[in-house]
Amino acid sequence: MKLDIKINERIATVEMIENTGKTFKIKVDDQIYEVDSKEVKDGVFSILNDNKSYLIDIISGSSNKNFEVVAWNKVFPVDIIDAEAKYLMSRGQGTTGDDENVISSPMPGKIVKIMVKKGDVLKAGDTVIVVSAMKMESEYKVKQDSTVQDILVSEGDTIEGHQPLVIVE
Amino acid sequence: MKLDIKINERIATVEMIENTGKTFKIKVDDQIYEVDSKEVKDGVFSILNDNKSYLIDIISGSSNKNFEVVAWNKVFPVDIIDAEAKYLMSRGQGTTGDDENVISSPMPGKIVKIMVKKGDVLKAGDTVIVVSAMKMESEYKVKQDSTVQDILVSEGDTIEGHQPLVIVE
Amino acid sequence: MINKILIANRGEIALRIMRSCREMGIKSVAVFSEADRKSKHVYYADEAYFIGPSPSNESYLKVDNIIEAAKKSGADAIHPGYGFLSENAAFSDRCKAEGIIFIGPTSEVISVMGDKISARKKMIDSGVLVVPGTKEDIKSDEDALRIVKMVGLPVMIKASAGGGGKGMRLVRHEKDIISGVRAAKSEALAAFGDDAVYVEKLVENPHHIEFQIVGDSHGNVVHLFERECSVQRRHQKVVEESPSPLMTPELREKMGTMAVTAAKAVNYVGAGTIEFLVDDELNYYFLEMNTRLQVEHPITEIVVGVDLVKAQIIVADGGYLPWNQQDLLQRGHSIETRIYAEDPFNNFMPSPGIIKHITEPLGPGIRHDGYIYAGYEIPIYYDPMISKLISWGSTRQEAIDRMKRALFNYKLSGVRTNIRYLHRIMESEDFASGNYNTGFIEKNADFLLADAENYKELEDLVMIASFLYFRKQTGNNDNQHKEECTQSNWNNYAKQIGVNRL
Amino acid sequence: MINKILIANRGEIALRIMRSCREMGIKSVAVFSEADRKSKHVYYADEAYFIGPSPSNESYLKVDNIIEAAKKSGADAIHPGYGFLSENAAFSDRCKAEGIIFIGPTSEVISVMGDKISARKKMIDSGVLVVPGTKEDIKSDEDALRIVKMVGLPVMIKASAGGGGKGMRLVRHEKDIISGVRAAKSEALAAFGDDAVYVEKLVENPHHIEFQIVGDSHGNVVHLFERECSVQRRHQKVVEESPSPLMTPELREKMGTMAVTAAKAVNYVGAGTIEFLVDDELNYYFLEMNTRLQVEHPITEIVVGVDLVKAQIIVADGGYLPWNQQDLLQRGHSIETRIYAEDPFNNFMPSPGIIKHITEPLGPGIRHDGYIYAGYEIPIYYDPMISKLISWGSTRQEAIDRMKRALFNYKLSGVRTNIRYLHRIMESEDFASGNYNTGFIEKNADFLLADAENYKELEDLVMIASFLYFRKQTGNNDNQHKEECTQSNWNNYAKQIGVNRL
């Protein structure tokens, strides 16, 4: 088994060389690791590499190819890049499916104010919507000149993180 | 929905009267409770009864009709008694499937010594097997005169709790 | 006699108060909003009452609903915690009118100390040092020029009713005096409906040091020494410690006495905090009084060896202070860090969400006041603080070492937190040397967000773990878990043939 | 200079030691048996080495394997914790021979203090009070009669090499002297290959009080006051507290000085404990010395404000004691309860198994030294102790109140524990009044297992919860969880059309 895995800007090829039952021999790019890995609880791995001890906590993301991994209190965004992802990337869509035409908030919250209405013509940097969460308000703006295609929420609505709020074009 | 539920010696009939969405009206024998119940995590229930707050932690037992329930640091053994269980009880087998002919240890451990061999004739109170767990040794004896039918383990074996060790008759 | 207390709050402080109640044999009553049904304070309490929809102003700030819950439960007293209704004079009055003990000061005291001009006047009249400036509203441009020149530039123009930085202007140059005053007045009017402003001398990069005081209804007031609160981001405290590295025994004695004087000036009953600004020459000035329990009260509890919530309850119930001033001694050093669900690496964006795993750091010298649990969803409606980590050491160095150890071992996944950021604060030279003031965060901004270490090996192992996890999820799992399967067969067998312990 | 320490132990004490290592900037090395691969001490450490199969004598007691791991890891020192190899003279010697610092005393000291007759002799020669009796082996029946009469009945006959109650006989009547001595000798020979026995006066229902001492290699020894350890079940400590309710300042001074004398008599370097028997008239007698860290060391750490593990490391490294005797003061009161995976209501049967949920009690005045986590399987091979709960209060009463609060809120499911039993101990009159000795558990046996309260309502609610749980498991679930489903659809939608933050 062999996979391309992406963390931030780095993409590495990870390949299982051998499963000895006790340890795994795994190649990351050119380096071979022989690790003793145990899942101590759901998604939490205790890894001994050359007797050095690591605890790595994997949280499933929005798909089964997308994780948020916590180790040493540092958060690593991990993407598994398989054929499908490669195809999308080759078409310039990236692995996370970024789409500049959909305005959303990365965090859940409440819609405080919608500054635009359907059909409005906007200039780059115009504020579209204000979202509040945990006593903090965030403004979301358009990156380039565009027109409001659709508004999917109303003021006062409670929203999920990454939920589409406004569509522009 | 209506079930007989057993805790220790007590058997009560529990019946759902109404699910209002916010609360459940449930009858236990003759008493009607209207509780606000939420599962705060897997098997752990926060129950508000008449505004009194309870936290009840349910652990699945060896079957889906048999739980160990922890509340106020007290452990309640709970059996759900449905038609099948009633039938077994009527035949005198109890709900936990007790069988005096199978000797087992309620706790996992290691076989220290087997005092008998197949075919041995035993008197009530004879020690059959010694099991050790966590620095403590326990002896298991036969309750009545019997003959050893089968020995399912060897000295030095690691055993599960409730695993059959010796069969007598 | 207080037998049952309603806690008009949520989160860690509600739990904190309930713990002391339980230790005193007092029943605790929780209140909760819609979003908080699964919050730990609800199932930790003896009783719990629903008080309304999720937004605070429809539940935790809704006086009628809270009073109704108190009456229904038969609570003798209400503890407001911090925030929400804790410094609301009308709520204090309402409790009194309903015959419920409010665990906090009277509405008169809250009003006097809540208005900055009236507090200044009161303090000046009582001989408490305040930041040089006026104690009167500036009525005209002439007033402004005369007073500012008297006080001496640079100055702060501040709204009397102010808070949150609103109605506040820094004036460094003479030419900006009149425009600064006018801007402050109009902002104050818009924000608070009151254009009263006053002038204070600017204390440059001050230390923010506060003294804990407690008073009883028999005229006794003691102070419990200081807390250094200069590590602030946008006027929000991030790290606090006690004692203050800046403090000398003489200064502590003088400031402590002044804190007691300040509290006695308003016949203060309950726990309160006198905040001071201290400059690098150790000049100190009364800044304001908080008439409630502070978030950072645990560092005082640990260093002085007291339980402030119990003291609050005792004095609210008409009892005597449990200590004399001479009983109170500081031992060792304590630091508090505030753990927030926020992402420091993404402009401190709040990060509500579901906690997946949490391993709280334990062991010697660590206290952890929290309320979240694995599976809990941090709601979007309230403050992003999820817990307070408090360390104690026999020396300041040991307190720092323990805080670092605890932060390193605080394992939390599912939401972003500032744990790493706090660890960087502990690692910074300025903090380590104790040589910092309220300019700390700004001065160290780059250091605090920088990633000094090389993570190549860790990153590779993260990839390996992800690889193995993905492989398991997609079923390509060789022969892991075979052991477990073999074992549990025994259970099934045991079940089938029936088992008995003899 | 110690930079890396191998901890030759497991469970809570391994974690406890690693915490101090991390605070000191010292790397920690774990060792683990087959059963312990998923134990927390393995993933808490900086490095971890496999040392053999699950049974202790094939791993944690296997000197060669531990030394090999130490060499491979480049550890400068080995900390043995308690139990296992901590009082093994040969292991101490072996470390020395290999050039590894053993964090504990030399083999000579371990040998002298490990043999009861040689320890008695040493103590008597140094002027330490021991239980009246002989310090010599009884060689003949005549010796027996003469010596027992001299000491005065009742007496204990004890094996010199003894331990665990073997080779021990209580003699109350003259007619039983000779048979008692003979029985003890033959049992001692069988158990230890050595029939040496000696006679001690029986101290009836004594208090078991121990003094913590620490010595350095420069001839300094201090004591850190006492721990009361009289709550014992079958010679196993269950609850400890400090200070002892029995103690007076004068007695503390005298016993502390004697503890230091005892330690100095063997030029003791490291942390150790001098155990005393104390009768109701406050007569005290040296019982034995433990040449290692005790399980109950945290109550001393909290009351005195020290870190004993750090002190061990410092003195093992040749450093000076971090304190003088006059620096050391007791503040407040601390209690430790030992949480065991056992079922007090089923003859204290051990209860290994998988932890389902655990909520550790936190908050003011609580320290929790543990090592288990949700999903962890407690192995069958080792001690059933899963954690130590330690409370501190400004008074003994507050320490008890906090312990009760913490025990009540210690939520653990999946294995049986003694948490409720410990709560009953705190509730008992004898414990509450501080008026107890080593007869406590026996005297209160019925009370401790009784169920005073009426559980009708709780039992009904347990049934209701079980009913709802069963209903959910079997799919008859009305419309619970509908909310969640609605919400997560958004996620899917977001995924499908792609989302961007601008």
Side-chain angles (χ1 to χ4, degrees):
Chain A
M1 191 173 173
K2 189 169 172 175
L3 288 170
D4 283 353
I5 298 183
K6 179 168 175 283
I7 293 180
N8 295 321
E9 301 311 306
R10 180 180 165 211
I11 297 180
T13 303
V14 183
E15 185 179 1
M16 175 74 74
I17 307 293
E18 195 190 347
N19 175 356
T20 73
K22 284 260 176 196
T23 59
F24 298 102
K25 231 181 249 176
I26 294 176
K27 200 160 94 172
V28 179
D29 283 340
D30 292 334
Q31 181 145 8
I32 293 177
Y33 292 90
E34 184 169 353
V35 298
D36 170 0
S37 169
K38 293 277 181 232
E39 193 170 354
V40 296
K41 54 182 162 177
D42 177 41
V44 181
F45 289 80
S46 164
I47 292 188
L48 299 181
N49 172 41
D50 201 14
N51 295 111
K52 287 197 292 291
S53 180
Y54 295 85
L55 193 70
I56 297 175
D57 188 348
I58 302 179
I59 300 119
S60 299
S62 43
S63 87
N64 71 341
K65 291 173 208 161
N66 160 246
F67 312 130
E68 188 165 285
V69 182
V70 183
W72 288 2
N73 290 326
K74 199 172 150 60
V75 180
F76 297 87
V78 173
D79 291 301
I80 306 287
I81 302 179
D82 57 4
E84 185 192 352
K86 275 183 189 159
Y87 172 72
L88 287 171
M89 283 170 80
S90 71
R91 293 187 53 216
Q93 296 214 330
T95 52
T96 50
D98 284 1
D99 181 344
E100 299 197 346
N101 290 332
V102 178
I103 289 164
S104 70
S105 152
M107 59 175 183
K110 197 170 171 166
I111 305 298
V112 175
K113 203 157 177 52
I114 299 171
M115 317 288 280
V116 297
K117 56 185 194 303
K118 206 166 160 174
D120 279 3
V121 177
L122 307 175
K123 280 211 279 282
D126 280 358
T127 298
V128 173
I129 198 161
V130 183
V131 175
S132 144
M134 294 176 152
K135 298 178 168 177
M136 180 168 154
E137 292 189 355
S138 307
E139 298 186 344
Y140 295 91
K141 300 169 196 291
V142 284
K143 272 190 183 164
Q144 50 210 25
D145 296 356
S146 43
T147 307
V148 178
Q149 299 295 314
D150 204 1
I151 295 174
L152 306 167
V153 290
S154 309
E155 288 181 6
D157 279 7
T158 298
I159 56 160
E160 282 271 298
H162 302 293
Q163 173 182 336
L165 308 176
V166 175
I167 312 287
V168 297
E169 212 180 87
Chain B
M1 191 175 175
K2 191 169 172 175
L3 288 170
D4 283 354
I5 297 182
K6 178 167 175 285
I7 294 181
N8 296 322
E9 301 312 307
R10 178 179 167 211
I11 297 181
T13 303
V14 182
E15 185 181 0
M16 174 74 74
I17 307 292
E18 195 191 347
N19 175 356
T20 72
K22 284 262 177 196
T23 60
F24 298 102
K25 232 181 247 176
I26 294 177
K27 201 160 95 171
V28 180
D29 283 341
D30 291 334
Q31 181 147 7
I32 293 177
Y33 292 89
E34 184 168 354
V35 298
D36 170 0
S37 169
K38 293 275 180 233
E39 192 169 356
V40 296
K41 52 183 163 177
D42 177 40
V44 180
F45 290 80
S46 164
I47 292 188
L48 299 181
N49 173 40
D50 201 15
N51 294 110
K52 287 197 292 292
S53 179
Y54 296 85
L55 193 71
I56 297 176
D57 188 347
I58 302 179
I59 299 118
S60 299
S62 43
S63 86
N64 71 341
K65 291 173 207 159
N66 161 245
F67 313 129
E68 188 165 286
V69 182
V70 183
W72 289 359
N73 290 326
K74 198 172 152 59
V75 180
F76 298 86
V78 173
D79 290 301
I80 305 287
I81 302 179
D82 57 4
E84 184 191 353
K86 275 185 187 154
Y87 171 72
L88 287 169
M89 283 170 81
S90 71
R91 293 187 53 215
Q93 295 216 329
T95 53
T96 50
D98 284 1
D99 181 345
E100 298 197 348
N101 291 331
V102 178
I103 289 164
S104 71
S105 152
M107 59 175 182
K110 197 170 171 165
I111 306 298
V112 176
K113 204 159 176 53
I114 299 170
M115 317 288 281
V116 297
K117 54 183 193 301
K118 207 166 161 173
D120 279 3
V121 178
L122 307 175
K123 280 210 278 282
D126 280 358
T127 297
V128 174
I129 199 161
V130 183
V131 176
S132 145
M134 293 177 152
K135 299 177 166 177
M136 180 169 157
E137 291 189 356
S138 307
E139 298 185 345
Y140 296 90
K141 300 168 196 290
V142 283
K143 273 192 182 164
Q144 49 210 23
D145 297 354
S146 43
T147 306
V148 178
Q149 298 296 314
D150 204 359
I151 296 173
L152 305 168
V153 290
S154 310
E155 289 181 7
D157 280 6
T158 298
I159 56 159
E160 282 271 298
H162 303 291
Q163 172 183 336
L165 307 175
V166 175
I167 312 286
V168 297
E169 210 180 272
Chain C
M1 182 64 189
I2 296 177
N3 290 309
K4 193 184 270 193
I5 295 176
L6 180 144
I7 293 96
N9 216 304
R10 64 178 302 283
E12 70 85 20
I13 192 62
L15 257 82
R16 163 70 193 87
I17 294 162
M18 289 174 194
R19 286 181 168 128
S20 284
C21 288
R22 179 164 288 276
E23 290 169 18
M24 296 175 84
I26 292 171
K27 294 276 176 200
S28 56
V29 180
V31 291
F32 62 96
S33 69
E34 222 156 78
D36 270 349
R37 173 61 185 88
K38 292 183 180 178
S39 181
K40 194 167 176 178
H41 77 282
V42 174
Y43 63 78
Y44 196 95
D46 294 301
E47 300 177 27
Y49 290 80
F50 175 71
I51 50 162
S54 304
S56 314
N57 56 1
E58 299 176 53
S59 47
Y60 296 106
L61 292 171
K62 200 93 179 174
V63 171
D64 284 342
N65 298 9
I66 289 170
I67 294 291
E68 192 193 328
K71 302 217 126 185
K72 201 171 159 204
S73 67
D76 311 299
I78 294 181
H79 196 307
Y82 52 70
F84 293 139
L85 295 170
S86 62
E87 293 181 287
N88 183 314
F91 183 61
S92 174
D93 254 352
R94 176 69 184 277
C95 289
K96 198 172 174 183
E98 301 280 355
I100 299 167
I101 296 172
F102 176 74
I103 300 178
T106 59
S107 66
E108 293 75 26
V109 172
I110 296 176
S111 300
V112 169
M113 299 314 276
D115 179 88
K116 291 188 177 180
I117 288 191
S118 72
R120 263 178 86 80
K121 277 188 194 161
K122 193 82 190 171
M123 290 301 107
I124 293 171
D125 294 349
S126 313
V128 172
L129 290 174
V130 300
V131 180
T134 51
K135 55 175 178 174
E136 314 226 1
D137 180 19
I138 298 179
K139 299 269 201 287
S140 64
D141 290 352
E142 292 70 45
D143 277 5
L145 284 171
R146 180 178 49 80
I147 291 168
V148 170
K149 279 178 190 163
M150 190 181 74
V151 171
L153 289 167
V155 300
M156 291 296 297
I157 317 291
K158 287 186 171 179
S160 182
K166 288 217 168 98
M168 204 186 277
R169 279 293 179 286
L170 167 61
V171 177
R172 289 194 180 273
H173 306 291
E174 197 175 327
K175 66 179 169 60
D176 300 326
I177 295 174
I178 290 174
S179 61
V181 168
R182 286 182 181 165
K185 278 179 107 66
S186 83
E187 200 172 294
L189 186 66
F192 315 112
D194 175 2
D195 77 345
V197 297
Y198 64 102
V199 174
E200 271 184 13
K201 177 123 186 93
L202 176 73
V203 182
E204 301 260 16
N205 276 334
H207 291 258
H208 180 128
I209 296 178
E210 59 187 28
F211 272 70
Q212 177 70 52
I213 61 98
V214 188
D216 67 21
S217 55
H218 309 282
N220 305 299
V221 179
V222 297
H223 73 86
L224 295 98
F225 313 102
E226 81 280 11
R227 293 184 288 259
E228 168 71 62
C229 308
S230 298
V231 180
Q232 300 187 357
R233 203 181 70 82
R234 296 170 161 201
H235 303 285
Q236 283 278 4
K237 295 168 189 166
V238 178
V239 175
E240 302 96 349
E241 63 177 315
S242 180
S244 165
L246 192 73
M247 198 56 62
T248 65
E250 297 72 37
L251 184 61
R252 176 176 295 124
E253 173 73 27
K254 282 195 285 183
M255 290 178 72
T257 304
M258 188 156 286
V260 169
T261 302
K264 283 192 168 165
V266 290
N267 299 315
Y268 197 82
V269 178
T273 294
I274 311 290
E275 300 198 337
F276 292 96
L277 292 183
V278 184
D279 67 21
D280 287 339
E281 282 72 47
L282 303 187
N283 298 305
Y284 56 96
Y285 309 103
F286 170 86
L287 179 65
E288 63 180 76
M289 180 171 193
N290 294 317
T291 57
R292 53 163 165 84
L293 197 66
Q294 300 281 93
V295 174
E296 59 271 23
H297 74 278
I299 58 176
T300 297
E301 293 189 321
I302 292 182
V303 167
V304 187
V306 297
D307 187 319
L308 287 168
V309 172
K310 286 183 191 162
Q312 284 186 301
I313 295 171
I314 290 168
V315 301
D317 208 6
Y320 283 85
L321 270 184
W323 340 275
N324 297 313
Q325 188 66 55
Q326 60 267 28
D327 298 337
L328 298 169
L329 297 169
Q330 293 171 294
R331 180 162 89 164
H333 200 98
S334 181
I335 299 175
E336 173 181 281
T337 56
R338 301 187 185 191
I339 314 292
Y340 285 103
E342 66 182 17
D343 186 354
F345 302 95
N346 187 10
N347 198 27
F348 296 90
M349 172 91 68
S351 175
I354 297 174
I355 305 296
K356 193 187 165 210
H357 293 128
I358 176 168
T359 303
E360 298 174 280
L362 304 169
I366 295 298
R367 166 172 163 185
H368 188 224
D369 279 22
Y371 79 106
I372 64 169
Y373 56 89
Y376 176 67
E377 179 167 6
I378 299 177
I380 61 168
Y381 299 97
Y382 315 109
D383 193 271
M385 191 173 80
I386 53 183
S387 74
K388 303 182 313 203
L389 198 52
I390 304 124
S391 73
W392 179 88
S394 56
T395 60
R396 183 170 189 271
Q397 186 58 50
E398 190 177 48
I400 293 175
D401 292 340
R402 284 188 166 158
M403 182 55 76
K404 280 197 223 171
R405 182 262 290 169
L407 287 167
F408 187 82
N409 288 303
Y410 194 154
K411 309 284 185 191
L412 182 63
S413 62
V415 301
R416 303 288 174 107
T417 72
N418 65 338
I419 292 175
R420 241 184 117 68
Y421 184 78
L422 295 168
H423 199 278
R424 290 293 282 176
I425 291 177
M426 295 296 122
E427 287 175 327
S428 72
E429 259 184 58
D430 285 349
F431 190 83
S433 66
N435 182 21
Y436 65 89
N437 56 37
T438 44
F440 172 82
I441 293 269
E442 206 179 335
K443 186 181 164 203
N444 289 278
D446 290 343
F447 176 86
L448 297 177
L449 292 174
D451 244 350
E453 296 164 78
N454 178 0
Y455 293 109
K456 167 73 168 70
E457 180 171 331
L458 183 62
E459 209 171 86
D460 282 4
L461 293 169
V462 165
M463 287 190 174
I464 287 174
S466 304
F467 177 89
L468 293 170
Y469 184 67
F470 181 73
R471 192 161 149 274
K472 181 189 133 195
Q473 300 294 86
T474 52
N476 190 342
N477 201 17
D478 308 351
N479 41 15
Q480 279 191 304
H481 292 289
K482 263 191 191 156
E483 278 169 70
E484 284 92 328
C485 296
T486 316
Q487 290 203 342
S488 61
N489 283 341
W490 279 117
N491 253 337
N492 297 335
Y493 179 53
K495 213 54 219 168
Q496 280 158 27
I497 68 166
V499 161
N500 187 32
R501 177 177 171 236
L502 302 184
Chain D
M1 182 63 191
I2 296 177
N3 290 308
K4 192 185 270 193
I5 295 177
L6 181 144
I7 293 95
N9 215 305
R10 63 179 302 282
E12 71 86 18
I13 193 60
L15 256 82
R16 163 68 192 90
I17 295 163
M18 289 175 194
R19 287 180 166 129
S20 284
C21 288
R22 180 164 288 275
E23 290 169 19
M24 296 174 85
I26 293 171
K27 294 276 176 200
S28 57
V29 179
V31 291
F32 62 97
S33 69
E34 221 156 79
D36 270 348
R37 174 62 185 86
K38 293 183 181 179
S39 180
K40 193 166 176 178
H41 76 282
V42 174
Y43 63 78
Y44 195 95
D46 294 301
E47 299 177 26
Y49 289 79
F50 175 70
I51 50 162
S54 304
S56 314
N57 56 1
E58 298 176 52
S59 49
Y60 296 106
L61 293 171
K62 200 93 179 172
V63 171
D64 285 342
N65 297 10
I66 289 170
I67 295 290
E68 192 192 329
K71 303 217 125 186
K72 202 172 159 207
S73 67
D76 312 298
I78 295 181
H79 196 306
Y82 52 69
F84 293 137
L85 295 170
S86 62
E87 293 180 287
N88 184 312
F91 184 61
S92 174
D93 254 352
R94 176 70 183 277
C95 288
K96 198 174 175 184
E98 301 280 354
I100 299 167
I101 296 172
F102 176 75
I103 300 178
T106 60
S107 66
E108 294 74 27
V109 172
I110 296 175
S111 300
V112 168
M113 299 314 275
D115 180 87
K116 291 188 178 180
I117 288 192
S118 72
R120 262 179 86 81
K121 278 187 192 163
K122 194 80 189 172
M123 291 301 107
I124 293 170
D125 294 349
S126 313
V128 172
L129 291 173
V130 300
V131 180
T134 51
K135 55 175 176 174
E136 314 224 1
D137 180 19
I138 299 180
K139 298 269 202 284
S140 64
D141 289 353
E142 290 71 44
D143 276 4
L145 284 170
R146 179 176 52 81
I147 291 169
V148 170
K149 280 179 188 162
M150 190 180 73
V151 171
L153 288 166
V155 299
M156 291 296 296
I157 317 290
K158 289 185 172 181
S160 181
K166 289 219 166 93
M168 205 187 276
R169 279 292 180 284
L170 168 60
V171 177
R172 290 195 178 272
H173 306 290
E174 197 175 329
K175 66 179 170 58
D176 300 326
I177 294 174
I178 289 175
S179 61
V181 168
R182 285 181 183 168
K185 277 178 108 62
S186 84
E187 200 171 294
L189 186 65
F192 314 113
D194 175 1
D195 77 346
V197 298
Y198 63 102
V199 173
E200 271 184 13
K201 176 124 186 93
L202 176 72
V203 182
E204 301 259 16
N205 275 337
H207 291 258
H208 180 126
I209 296 178
E210 60 187 27
F211 271 70
Q212 177 70 52
I213 60 98
V214 187
D216 67 21
S217 55
H218 309 283
N220 305 300
V221 178
V222 297
H223 73 85
L224 295 97
F225 313 102
E226 82 279 10
R227 292 184 289 258
E228 167 72 63
C229 308
S230 298
V231 180
Q232 300 186 357
R233 203 181 70 83
R234 298 173 160 199
H235 302 285
Q236 283 279 4
K237 295 167 190 167
V238 179
V239 175
E240 302 96 350
E241 63 177 315
S242 180
S244 165
L246 192 73
M247 199 54 64
T248 64
E250 298 72 34
L251 185 61
R252 177 176 295 123
E253 174 74 26
K254 282 195 285 181
M255 291 178 71
T257 303
M258 188 156 287
V260 170
T261 303
K264 282 190 169 168
V266 290
N267 299 315
Y268 197 83
V269 177
T273 295
I274 312 291
E275 299 199 337
F276 293 96
L277 292 183
V278 184
D279 67 20
D280 287 339
E281 282 73 45
L282 304 187
N283 298 306
Y284 55 96
Y285 309 103
F286 171 87
L287 179 66
E288 62 180 74
M289 179 170 193
N290 294 317
T291 58
R292 54 164 165 84
L293 197 66
Q294 300 280 93
V295 175
E296 60 272 22
H297 74 278
I299 58 177
T300 297
E301 293 189 322
I302 292 182
V303 167
V304 187
V306 297
D307 187 318
L308 287 168
V309 172
K310 286 182 190 163
Q312 286 187 300
I313 295 170
I314 290 168
V315 300
D317 207 6
Y320 285 85
L321 270 184
W323 340 274
N324 298 312
Q325 188 66 56
Q326 61 268 29
D327 299 336
L328 298 169
L329 297 169
Q330 293 172 294
R331 178 162 89 166
H333 200 98
S334 182
I335 299 175
E336 174 182 280
T337 56
R338 300 187 186 191
I339 314 293
Y340 284 104
E342 66 181 17
D343 186 354
F345 303 95
N346 187 10
N347 197 27
F348 296 89
M349 171 91 70
S351 175
I354 296 174
I355 305 296
K356 193 185 166 214
H357 293 128
I358 176 168
T359 303
E360 300 173 278
L362 304 169
I366 295 298
R367 167 172 163 184
H368 188 225
D369 280 22
Y371 79 107
I372 64 169
Y373 56 89
Y376 176 66
E377 178 166 7
I378 298 177
I380 60 169
Y381 299 96
Y382 316 108
D383 193 271
M385 192 174 80
I386 53 182
S387 74
K388 304 181 313 202
L389 199 52
I390 304 124
S391 73
W392 179 88
S394 57
T395 61
R396 183 170 189 271
Q397 185 58 50
E398 190 176 48
I400 294 174
D401 292 341
R402 284 188 167 158
M403 181 56 77
K404 280 197 221 169
R405 183 261 289 170
L407 287 167
F408 186 83
N409 288 302
Y410 195 154
K411 309 284 185 192
L412 182 63
S413 61
V415 301
R416 304 289 174 108
T417 73
N418 65 339
I419 292 174
R420 241 184 115 70
Y421 184 79
L422 295 168
H423 199 278
R424 291 292 282 176
I425 291 177
M426 294 297 122
E427 288 174 327
S428 72
E429 259 184 58
D430 284 349
F431 190 84
S433 66
N435 182 22
Y436 66 89
N437 56 35
T438 46
F440 171 83
I441 293 270
E442 207 179 336
K443 184 179 166 205
N444 290 278
D446 290 344
F447 176 85
L448 298 177
L449 292 174
D451 243 351
E453 296 164 76
N454 178 1
Y455 292 108
K456 166 76 168 71
E457 180 170 330
L458 183 63
E459 209 171 84
D460 282 4
L461 293 170
V462 164
M463 287 191 173
I464 287 174
S466 303
F467 177 89
L468 293 170
Y469 185 68
F470 181 73
R471 191 160 151 276
K472 180 190 133 194
Q473 299 295 85
T474 52
N476 191 342
N477 200 17
D478 307 351
N479 42 14
Q480 279 192 303
H481 292 288
K482 263 190 189 157
E483 276 169 71
E484 283 93 327
C485 296
T486 316
Q487 290 202 341
S488 61
N489 283 341
W490 280 118
N491 255 336
N492 297 336
Y493 178 53
K495 214 53 220 167
Q496 280 158 25
I497 69 165
V499 162
N500 187 32
R501 180 182 167 232
L502 302 185

